[in-house]
Amino acid sequence: MGMSISQKILARVSRKKKVEPGEVVDAKVDLLMIHEITGAPAIRIFEKEFGGLVWDPNKIVVVEDHSVPCKDERAAENIATLEKFVEKQKITHYYPYGKGQYGICHALLPEEGLVLPGMLVLGGDSHTCTYGALGAFSSGVGHSEVANIMYTGELWLRVPETSKFIINGKLPPYVTAKDVILKIIGDIGVDGATYQAMEFSGPVIREMEVNERLVPSNMSVEAGAKTGIVEPDSKNISYLRARTNEEIDPVMNDPDVEYVDVRDYSGEMFEPLVAKPPLPSNVVPARELEGLLMDQAFIGSCTGGRITDLRMAAQILKGRKVKTRTIIIPATLKTYTQALKGGLIEIFTRAGAAVGSPTCGPCLGGHMGVLGDYKKCISATNRNFVGRMGSKKSEVYLASPPTVAASAVMGYICDPRDVK
Amino acid sequence: MKTLRGRVHVYGDDINTDVIIPGKYLDYDDPEYLGRHAMEGIDPEFVKKVRKGDILVAGRNFGCGSSREQAPVALKGAGISVIIAKFYARIFYRNATNIAIPPIEADIADRVSTGDELEINFETAEIRNLTKDEVYRMKAFPERIKAIIEAGGLIPYTKQRKGI
């Protein structure tokens, strides 16, 4: 029986010829990502328990995104911890906010060409699964594990089974990658892919730009998955070639992989969807919620803040005014610059939206748009658990960037096909 | 650890990391501070009710959501010594293991009540409900998980393996 991409990568990094799902391996990490929320505690553990130098300063990416520009003194302390670590360890890949290219980790690393197919990438953030869309095996770990990797360069991992999701046909207009993953999570539940690698394939996925493919992979953790893989193709290679001079050596599935589950979808059957609180799996058509008043609309985060997302939002917001408080945050500085050059920022500001500098901010109820009691937000983000964006009495509705933009214009949840 | 005895607090399915420790507390990693806000998203009274050595029992998919290690740290800081759930979200499962809070797998959330006294025997893999006079079985820990818990967490485990 053949090996999946996940098996092949984990076999290579554990120096084995073959690995089976369920097997535990000690894996050498190709790239470790940290940001200030899990990175600062990890650094403290590393310095207290191990000390000295990290295993490889060229294999750690240090990002500042969750609480920047520093939302309070404590955030400033965590950022200072990162700064000191970078200096002491001579970290190669450091993206300090406000000093040049910086942004949200899971938008930044692909943009900077740091992730290559076939790599094992671990990160102190659950959405590290995002890079699976580039054909890497990538997954989130906790901060003790980050400290462990900093010292040893390794971590134990259980080889996952793979479940395959084939999206056939073509998506209708206004239906996006976000709607695809929401539908899947709605079908299988928030534990539907626990411990698995999800694989997204089929003509609809092939048709998507790499930026769009990052979205289903990003939210695969919301179904409990370890990672969300898209098998590399020429689009993937072109995307990477434009961003790195490193050798690209894609890892592909063997033809006879045994999947633990295979689901076929027909693209034409998809429509704009919304995940109602309190779970990302609580998915209904946007039209079913039409008329539900929203207090805030947010476009941004590692799920909905890339240039592809901003373009879709701008299409709807152009020449219109928002009726609901709207916050738009490009995911990285390069994205922001692209949006400026493309006239998107002007469209957003003319529409009346608040446009912010790259940060995760509102997505996790941190800053830049925290929700108060009884406030409802429609958001192009990834989680809507109780209290996710602020008050326990607030509500978060997850949707695609066009659906969020349409709802911002109407002041209530609105299918982008129905916006006036 | 061979046996452990404690008082139970029962919760349901899909208890996620946002309710275990809300995002606004994530700038901190101090167990005592986090412990004062454990489960705040779902039960603000939790920290008042919990005593050191208590047991948290839950249903499906415990700990789903973020990779924040602050989640099991908060529970430990509040006094929880062990968690029993039908199954866990993977990052939480690892994080709890890594700070030596054994994440036991047993489907007992519908069988026990808050306030029950349980005695857990890790050797026989049995959970005895002293209040209801019932016995439940728990799943054996995977080898690697068992080794990490027995070493006292991931860092001691690594130190042992690397001889430091």
Side-chain angles (χ1 to χ4, degrees):
Chain A
M1 211 195 331
M3 288 204 288
S4 64
I5 291 170
S6 298
Q7 283 171 266
K8 287 186 178 179
I9 295 174
L10 291 177
R12 173 183 67 78
V13 296
S14 58
R15 295 166 296 279
K16 290 182 164 197
K17 277 216 169 71
K18 195 168 164 64
V19 298
E20 298 294 335
E23 199 178 321
V24 169
V25 299
D26 286 296
K28 274 187 148 39
V29 177
D30 292 315
L31 201 64
L32 174 69
M33 187 287 296
I34 62 169
H35 55 60
E36 75 273 23
I37 296 293
T38 50
I43 289 166
R44 287 190 275 270
I45 294 174
F46 173 78
E47 288 178 348
K48 176 170 177 245
E49 301 288 346
F50 298 118
L53 296 177
V54 297
W55 102 101
D56 190 335
N58 300 312
K59 292 188 177 168
I60 303 178
V61 186
V62 178
V63 175
E64 298 176 352
D65 58 9
H66 276 55
S67 57
V68 297
C70 290
K71 67 183 179 87
D72 52 32
E73 286 175 57
R74 180 64 192 189
E77 267 175 51
N78 286 334
I79 292 295
T81 301
L82 293 190
E83 279 174 339
K84 293 192 192 102
F85 176 77
V86 164
E87 197 186 312
K88 176 177 176 189
Q89 301 289 345
K90 304 200 190 331
I91 299 291
T92 327
H93 305 293
Y94 175 43
Y95 296 91
Y97 79 89
K99 284 212 290 194
Q101 169 63 334
Y102 85 96
I104 301 174
C105 49
H106 309 308
L108 188 65
L109 268 71
E111 215 174 62
E112 292 296 294
L114 293 171
V115 178
L116 303 173
M119 268 185 162
L120 172 62
V121 183
L122 298 180
D125 190 277
S126 56
H127 290 107
T128 307
C129 49
T130 304
Y131 318 127
L134 294 168
F137 185 93
S138 66
S139 202
V141 295
H143 52 250
S144 287
E145 294 187 315
V146 170
N148 194 75
I149 298 168
M150 283 176 173
Y151 182 68
T152 64
E154 287 187 356
L155 191 68
W156 71 270
L157 290 170
R158 179 192 169 278
V159 178
E161 300 86 1
T162 303
S163 54
K164 191 168 181 171
F165 299 85
I166 309 169
I167 324 291
N168 297 302
K170 210 172 142 76
L171 292 180
Y174 296 108
V175 178
T176 69
K178 178 67 172 279
D179 300 298
V180 169
I181 187 61
L182 282 179
K183 174 95 178 91
I184 291 173
I185 297 171
D187 284 348
I188 69 176
V190 290
D191 55 15
T194 300
Y195 282 93
Q196 292 170 10
M198 291 172 81
E199 189 182 319
F200 305 104
S201 63
V204 164
I205 301 293
R206 295 293 145 214
E207 187 60 28
M208 286 180 186
E209 282 186 51
V210 169
N211 264 347
E212 297 173 277
R213 295 175 185 181
L214 291 166
V215 180
S217 293
N218 172 275
M219 284 190 73
S220 58
V221 64
E222 264 55 79
K226 203 166 185 134
T227 192
I229 305 256
V230 176
E231 195 173 55
D233 61 5
S234 55
K235 250 187 205 168
N236 185 305
I237 311 289
S238 309
Y239 176 93
L240 290 166
R241 263 289 73 90
R243 289 163 177 78
T244 180
N245 292 322
E246 295 287 330
E247 197 180 310
I248 300 170
D249 195 9
V251 173
M252 313 292 279
N253 285 313
D254 281 340
D256 53 339
V257 172
E258 202 173 277
Y259 293 99
V260 71
D261 187 24
V262 180
R263 287 185 190 232
D264 273 274
Y265 286 89
S266 179
E268 292 77 11
M269 299 308 292
F270 285 84
E271 60 181 309
L273 297 171
V274 172
K276 299 191 297 186
L279 290 178
S281 54
N282 202 6
V283 173
V284 297
R287 276 186 176 149
E288 224 173 85
L289 297 174
E290 194 146 314
L292 184 60
L293 291 172
M294 290 287 118
D295 301 291
Q296 183 161 291
F298 173 53
I299 293 167
S301 83
C302 59
T303 311
R306 297 183 180 82
I307 192 66
T308 32
D309 305 305
L310 301 183
R311 282 185 189 131
M312 289 193 279
Q315 237 195 338
I316 307 245
L317 292 172
K318 187 168 189 179
R320 296 188 167 111
K321 300 261 188 242
V322 296
K323 282 206 186 69
T324 216
R325 295 182 194 276
T326 303
I327 300 164
I328 302 179
I329 302 181
T332 69
L333 195 65
K334 275 193 187 154
T335 305
Y336 203 146
T337 310
Q338 258 186 301
L340 259 168
K341 285 193 179 149
L344 308 186
I345 304 295
E346 186 170 347
I347 291 173
F348 299 150
T349 53
R350 277 186 187 277
V355 182
S357 69
T359 182
C360 304
C363 177
L364 68 149
H367 67 314
M368 298 289 289
V370 177
L371 297 177
D373 287 351
Y374 309 112
K375 296 299 181 187
K376 295 183 174 55
C377 178
I378 182 149
S379 185
T381 54
N382 47 59
R383 290 194 181 125
N384 58 359
F385 299 132
V386 169
R388 172 72 182 177
M389 288 177 88
S391 161
K392 290 207 295 276
K393 300 186 193 120
S394 65
E395 291 185 337
V396 177
Y397 294 77
L398 304 175
S400 70
T403 305
V404 175
S407 306
V409 165
M410 302 306 286
Y412 51 75
I413 293 188
C414 181
D415 185 306
R417 299 169 293 185
D418 302 332
V419 71
K420 299 185 180 35
Chain B
M1 172 164 51
K2 305 231 168 46
T3 60
L4 192 146
R5 212 166 138 162
R7 214 175 46 126
V8 165
H9 302 268
V10 185
Y11 292 89
D13 295 335
D14 303 318
I15 302 297
N16 63 77
T17 51
D18 278 279
V19 305
I20 297 173
I21 190 72
K24 61 183 158 201
Y25 303 115
L26 290 186
D27 294 334
Y28 296 86
D29 52 351
D30 169 42
E32 229 190 85
Y33 173 84
L34 293 171
R36 288 200 291 275
H37 299 286
M39 301 293 269
E40 202 171 274
I42 191 172
D43 183 0
E45 303 301 303
F46 178 80
V47 294
K48 296 189 196 129
K49 293 184 287 195
V50 173
R51 292 196 301 259
K52 193 154 166 43
D54 280 1
I55 299 169
L56 198 153
V57 174
R60 305 169 58 95
N61 204 25
F62 187 80
C64 61
S66 139
S67 67
R68 57 190 73 166
E69 193 167 302
Q70 289 91 334
V73 169
L75 292 172
K76 191 175 187 179
I80 294 293
S81 60
V82 77
I83 305 169
I84 305 173
K86 182 170 179 183
F87 64 88
Y88 299 82
R90 61 162 287 274
I91 307 179
F92 183 91
Y93 184 78
R94 295 177 69 106
N95 284 343
T97 300
N98 293 335
I99 62 167
I101 294 278
I104 296 174
E105 281 180 278
D107 189 3
I108 64 171
D110 293 333
R111 312 273 307 271
V112 305
S113 314
T114 295
D116 283 357
E117 188 89 10
L118 296 186
E119 188 177 82
I120 304 167
N121 189 321
F122 290 92
E123 282 186 342
T124 60
E126 268 184 3
I127 302 168
R128 191 168 283 276
N129 188 332
L130 301 170
T131 309
K132 290 189 163 67
D133 194 24
E134 285 178 359
V135 180
Y136 323 109
R137 284 214 64 83
M138 62 194 238
K139 273 196 184 167
F141 284 112
E143 218 177 287
R144 188 67 66 118
I145 300 286
K146 187 158 177 271
I148 294 171
I149 295 172
E150 282 175 354
L154 180 67
I155 306 295
Y157 173 76
T158 295
K159 284 182 170 175
Q160 265 173 34
R161 281 181 107 199
K162 299 285 176 187
I164 47 169

